[in-house]
Every structure is written in C-alpha cells, then in structure tokens.
Amino acid sequence: MVPASKPRLDLIIAAPRGFCAGVDRAIQIVELTIEKYGAPVYVRHEIVHNRFVVDMLRGKGAVFVEELDEVPEGVPVVFSAHGVPKAVPDKATERGMIFLDATCPLVSRVHRQAERLVEAGRHIVFIGHAGHPEVIGTFGQVPEGSMSLIETVADAEAYAPADPDSLAFLTQTTLSMDDTAAVVATLQRRFPSMLSPRGEDICYATSNRQTAVKAIAHACDAVLVIGAPNSSNSVRLVEVAEREGTPARLIERAADLDFGFLDGVKTLGITAGASAPELLVRELVDLLGQHYAVSEQEVETKRETIIFKLPRELDAVAAA
C-alpha cells in the first residue's frame, strides 16, 4: 500500500533521448512494407534492439528471423537497421526475393568508407564489439582478411599488423565516445600514418545521448536508462553515467524496476537508448508517480532535427 504522504523524488530527464532518425526510419520501413504488401512481412534480425518495438511490429504482421533460409518464397523481407553483409542481399537477389534495406544511413556510410579504403590498399582496424550485428555487417562489406577487430585499449596495444604503414580505422556507430577516444589515441600513437575516417563514425544520436547523460549525472543520486540489454548504445549510457560517478541501471520497461535501487535517492536521472520509444519513458514516470511525489525537469543539451529519407519504393505508400 502506498503511504498517504509520498516521499519526494525529483526527476531530471535527459534530452535528447529515445528514438533517433535511423530507428524511426527502420520502423517506418517495416510498417509501410506491411501496408504495401500485406502481412506477413519477414524481418531479418530484430529491426532494432528493443523488445517492445519488436512485439509491436509482430502484432502488425512482422515475422522476425535470423537468416534468409527461414523466409518462404514470395514473401517480402526487410533487413535490420544494423546492416547486413553483402552476401545477404546477394542471396536475396539470387532467390528473386522482394527485399527492403532498413540499414541506418550512418551505418551505410561506414560501409562505403570501408569499401573505398580497401580499394585504396588500406587494411582497416575496426573498433567495435565482437558479435554485434553492425560489426558483422561491416566486416561483410569487404573481402575476408581486409579488417581487424579491436575492442579495447589492451587490444590496441597488442595489435601487430603486417604492414603498419597501410592502416586506416573505422568504428561501430554506437560506441562510448570516451572509450573509443582512448582506443584511437593508442592506435594513433603506435601507428602515426594510420588514416582517420571522414567525419565521425560514432553516430550523432549516440554522441548526443551520451552528452546529455553527462550533463545530468552530476546532479543525480542515480540514473535509470531505458533500453534493451543487447542495445549497444543503451548499455553505453549506463557506463557513461557510472563513469561520472553516479550509480546507473538499465531497465527494459518500468515493470523491471527494482525499487531497492532507489533507496536514499532524492534526485533520479532518466534517459532512454536510441531504440526505446518515448512512451516507455512516460510509463516509468507514471509508475514512479504512484510511489513518490515526483517533480520533472528536462535538461536538453541539443535539439535533433535530422530526418532520413525512406527507400524510393515506399515513397508512394508513405504519401498515401
């Protein structure tokens, strides 16, 4: 039973948070493909790393699979926002499949950079997390052996390339800015002639959400991050808060909250990873309001206005 007089809890909500332009675009691609072709529409891998979003799309007629072999003949398939190896669309083409690519344009940009660097005779040092779909997709853009994966500063210190003078580096788009900077600094110290990417590989949304967490963490007793455990950018937000000295925890939904984590907390920071919808933030605030007398303050560090175009074949559906 909630006491008649609720304890006070001040909420500082980070902005920007939640959905980014790439996630918005990917979800729209699945929804519009279902509208155009009818259900079911198959999706290779989770379209984005969020169970709520996946379940929502499943309810509209999306079927999620891990490999093209699981997609029956004559049914459209969408490739996830994380990107896929070249072999996947090649195989879809061989089978005569209808497919739409929801790869985030910022990930696609990294893919094109990888191709150009290898064509120029460079070996790519790719900074990322082993096994992540984005890493698998990027490695699949170039011939085997053209890239080496580096995850940590220790990896960078131990790396022994065959030709130290022909290196270039690229990064996964959802990494920690601070961790990546340390790895890059180590590589650049060891290999001064290594080429840097054109522009920043870590995507604007990842960087903006990390900056927003840094801005609020010092004023909070604890931080809650809404996101999936397999969402790289969400996990990084927890790490960013903890690096600022503030206890932080990742939860998928409000129902996952362990109220023991809030013992002694007077000011709570809240944010959401780039694949978590805003309604999950409101769900959490509503739950907290049942147990506390809450006040809300939003701290915005940057206004995001980026919108990515949809694939041409869906333009007519979107305009209808």
Side-chain angles (χ1 to χ4, degrees):
M1 180 177 293
V2 180
S5 179
K6 300 177 186 177
R8 180 181 174 87
L9 182 64
D10 295 327
L11 305 180
I12 301 180
I13 303 178
R17 62 182 176 276
F19 277 0
C20 64
V23 166
D24 261 332
R25 175 179 180 271
I27 293 169
Q28 284 186 69
I29 287 173
V30 176
E31 292 174 331
L32 292 171
T33 303
I34 293 170
E35 187 176 336
K36 180 174 181 177
Y37 296 100
V41 164
Y42 279 67
V43 183
R44 185 186 179 277
H45 193 67
E46 292 184 343
I47 188 68
V48 296
H49 285 155
N50 186 275
R51 188 187 308 173
F52 178 88
V53 171
V54 168
D55 288 345
M56 178 268 291
L57 292 173
R58 187 178 285 121
K60 294 183 176 184
V63 178
F64 293 88
V65 297
E66 287 302 311
E67 299 298 340
L68 283 186
D69 295 341
E70 302 171 65
V71 181
E73 298 298 327
V75 180
V77 61
V78 177
F79 303 146
S80 83
H82 310 98
V84 295
K86 278 184 176 179
V88 174
D90 288 349
K91 184 175 180 180
T93 301
E94 287 175 12
R95 288 182 55 186
M97 303 177 77
I98 298 169
F99 64 88
L100 292 100
D101 190 356
T103 300
C104 174
L106 299 180
V107 175
S108 295
R109 186 181 69 181
V110 175
H111 289 179
R112 302 293 78 80
Q113 286 189 84
E115 290 177 316
R116 287 193 294 267
L117 288 167
V118 170
E119 287 170 2
R122 293 278 171 170
H123 183 88
I124 299 170
V125 180
F126 192 79
I127 304 168
H129 297 299
H132 190 278
E134 184 183 329
V135 174
I136 294 169
T138 305
F139 267 69
Q141 303 304 309
V142 295
E144 189 172 350
S146 301
M147 300 177 71
S148 299
L149 181 66
I150 297 291
E151 295 192 77
T152 64
V153 169
D155 291 344
E157 289 285 8
Y159 180 54
D163 184 359
D165 295 321
S166 66
L167 300 178
F169 81 88
L170 296 171
T171 78
Q172 184 179 329
T173 64
T174 54
L175 299 178
S176 158
M177 295 182 294
D178 293 336
D179 288 347
T180 304
V183 174
V184 169
T186 301
L187 289 169
Q188 290 177 326
R189 171 177 53 78
R190 296 192 61 220
F191 311 110
S193 62
M194 181 178 66
L195 289 184
S196 300
R198 295 177 179 177
E200 176 63 68
D201 281 347
I202 296 177
C203 87
Y204 77 94
T206 297
S207 300
N208 288 349
R209 279 148 191 73
Q210 291 179 21
T211 299
V213 168
K214 286 183 181 181
I216 68 169
H218 66 91
C220 299
D221 300 312
V223 170
L224 286 175
V225 177
I226 301 170
N230 61 338
S231 166
S232 177
N233 79 86
S234 299
V235 173
R236 302 290 84 75
L237 292 175
V238 173
E239 295 172 352
V240 167
E242 291 178 336
R243 188 176 283 114
E244 295 296 308
T246 306
R249 186 158 296 180
L250 180 70
I251 59 172
E252 292 195 73
R253 301 278 308 257
D256 301 323
L257 175 60
D258 174 6
F259 278 89
F261 178 67
L262 301 183
D263 287 349
V265 172
K266 303 296 184 186
T267 303
L268 177 66
I270 296 176
T271 189
S275 49
E278 177 64 15
L279 66 87
L280 297 187
V281 175
R282 301 320 308 172
E283 178 186 79
L284 175 60
V285 173
D286 289 345
L287 176 64
L288 292 169
Q290 296 173 24
H291 296 262
Y292 299 92
V294 299
S295 68
E296 291 184 50
Q297 174 193 0
E298 182 178 76
V299 174
E300 183 178 68
T301 52
K302 188 158 185 113
R303 182 69 53 88
E304 292 180 347
T305 57
I306 292 175
I307 298 173
F308 292 134
K309 291 182 179 179
L310 293 165
R312 198 175 302 113
E313 54 266 49
L314 294 178
D315 281 346
V317 185

